[in-house]
Amino acid sequence: MSSSPSSRPSVVVAELGPTNTGKTFRAIERMLEHDSGIIGLPLRLLAREVYDRVTAKVGEGRVALMTGEEKRIPPRPDYWICTVEAMPTDREVDFLAVDEIQLAAHRERGHVFTDRLLHARGRKETWFLGADTMRPMVQALIPHASTKRAMRLSQLRYAGRRSLKSLPPRSAVVAFSADRVYELAEALRRLRGGVAVVLGALSPRTRNAQVAMYQSGEVQYLVATDAIGMGLNLDLNHVAFATLSKYDGAEQRDLYPDELAQIAGRAGRHLNDGSFGALNTLPELPPRIVSAIETHRFPAVRSLVWRNSSLDFASPEALLDSLSRAPRDSAFVRVERADDFDALKGLSAVPAIRELTTDKASVELLWQVCQVPDFRKGLFGQHVALLRETFLQLTAGDGKLDPTWLGRQVSPLDDASGDIHTLMDRLAAIRIWTYISHRPGWLNDAEDWQERTRRIEDALGDALHERLVERFVQRAARRSARRFVRASTQPQAGASDNPFAKLGLLLTEVPGAEGALMTEEQFVQRVVDATHDAFEVDATGRISFEAQPLARLVRGRDRRSPQLALAEPEVWTGGARQRLERRLVALARDLVTEAMGGFPAESFTSASRSPATRAVAYQLAEGLGVISQGEAREQWRLLDEESRERLKTQGVHEGQRFLYVTQALSPQALERRAMLTALFQQAPCPQGIPQEPALNGSALAGRSARAFGYEVIGPVALRIDIVERLGEGLRNPQGAKQVQALMQQLRLEGGVRAQVLRALGGQPQGAASKKRRRRRGRKPSATAPDTSGVRGRETAGSGRLNDRP
């Protein structure tokens, strides 16, 4: 990501329009057409949703998730899904997008979005997504930007006032305080039997469990704050406002028409029309507001919130002055207030801190401490006191936070008892420590603290979800309150062979069985949070997690698109089943990527690539990273040098007989190839595949050798990595020893060995000595060579034959 708009040429696109126009979807698709990308989103809940969507397309191995409190970063990510504040501004990527850019006018967060609008750029392409009200500002600040008006995919109509009792199924009721949300949820529960709850203060896992419960149809109603207004994709038919005003951090005020439209626009997804209205406890919406919402026409944004980004760290006073600097352009309005600025102002007045902030490094550290968010939103003085102690510890001793002090802060929060309000208070508090644990250099044993705070947050989130279900979902409407016992790794005598036989048992807590009992939500969340290495996938496509069989891969439309079948889907509630399937779809995509040697086919098939590049990438994808030279020769010849080099940087190698991705011929990739091919052909792999480097041709029983990663040469099938190594050795003047060693390890009979070498373009070994022996009068052997092909199969797959080429 570039730090200035002029530092690199970049196409800038502004997709502006109302909700349900597919802006975010198109940005995701466009990002995946590039080799690398970052997308910044306004909420960590939305960031997690987009992360799930992207990983379902390309697998988790290529995607990083980064928010203030959650980081899932694989070793070599290509794509970064972030909150706008957490976007890694020092990382250069080809594509960059910022969603809901109209938040640049937000009184508290706006300055971050404004900074991204002014400075954040992808190397090749940048997209800004948001409301059409931003069009004048984008055109004024980025004259070269291509602005596009996105059209809503469905109609949005005013449905007047309704009582709670008359709300249609798939409705959301919107309020703007937690107490009012709970009051409405309780009323709906009595009337309709169950309701899901979504608030911005929920942890991601609590929110995901609640949304999955709604999306799967376990409940038909949702009560939420305006957290649903920022791009969360819900199957809503109707949105009803329970109030038309909210407290915005400074005052209680009426909602602006465009704010109402942002929330109302959640109704009607994709091509399905939606409606909005109010509860009958409110007056009718004014006709001018109704018309504005239905036609998506609102006053344009005329100024953006701004804060100086060129900060002076010479002293706390200099930093405060630079933060207070007024903008020079009339298009900007200086941010009125921000928690980090107020914290800096308060801490700068503390004598002990003034004595310590005498150089640039200490002032920078103070500013980092001031940026720790106050998730509790209680008495701000308490938060400042916490920041004061944090800074004093970071500037004393070894420059790390005292683990004993940390323990005293964190331990009281490790308590999942209490009511909904108590759990939400603890969740807000632990989020602060989760954030602090991810600050680089602040803690010894940072990973341990990250794990501990995450575990506490997860436990609180699970408990909160359980309390919400207990309070707002009638038992008859839902099964997920049950507990289940996970299958034992040592089956008991007489136990059912079904690995899910015990999952559905309704059980109570068993004393002393700590770890044996687990709620459905807890187990599902463990699966969702698990890394790729935590799953076991056997040669038949069966997927297990912690020795618990979960699902199996089944035939899809091609080898690259296997489908999923849960081992026993009726065991799970709808929401749990949906979340499991989403995680396992991402796992399946990772397995396909492994088979292709990590080749990012999506990045090379976009319309911006040349036809020859798209053709080569498509063939490599279809061939799971391997195609013959004959199939690729013409397209490879048509590639320009830049495209050819870009493919080579992704591991594409021009071999002797094949064009292949280097890692696609590794042992692990060949195992994945064999599994995917067998699934698609709906028949077991021929015996010996892929472990054996050489097979009798008859072992394939007429099936395609190349589909399994082999090449038929004469009466035998050689694994493609062996074919390429032999070909390279035969064409290398110094490769005779390599060829000889390979042939000895293959243990081919003499006649077959000669046929293989001849087919690969080499001289059969021993040919010259035979001629000399014949000139001495020796008769050739009357024994015909054994064309059965391969000997010594017990050793043929050993040694370095299984190493990558």
Side-chain angles (χ1 to χ4, degrees), residues 48-49 52-53 55-56 60 207-208 211-212 528 564 575-587:
R48 183 62 195 236
E49 179 179 312
D52 290 338
R53 192 186 308 177
T55 54
E60 291 199 353
R207 171 263 174 189
N208 289 342
V211 167
V528 169
L564 271 167
R577 185 168 59 247
Q578 185 182 68
R579 298 179 69 206
L580 278 174
E581 288 174 342
R582 184 168 55 188
R583 175 64 187 94
L584 295 177
V585 164
L587 174 67

Side-chain angles (χ1 to χ4, degrees), residues 718-735:
L718 297 183
R719 213 168 53 205
I720 288 175
D721 59 322
I722 301 300
V723 172
E724 283 297 318
R725 291 168 66 182
L726 284 171
E728 291 176 2
L730 289 169
R731 285 158 180 77
N732 186 344
Q734 309 299 322

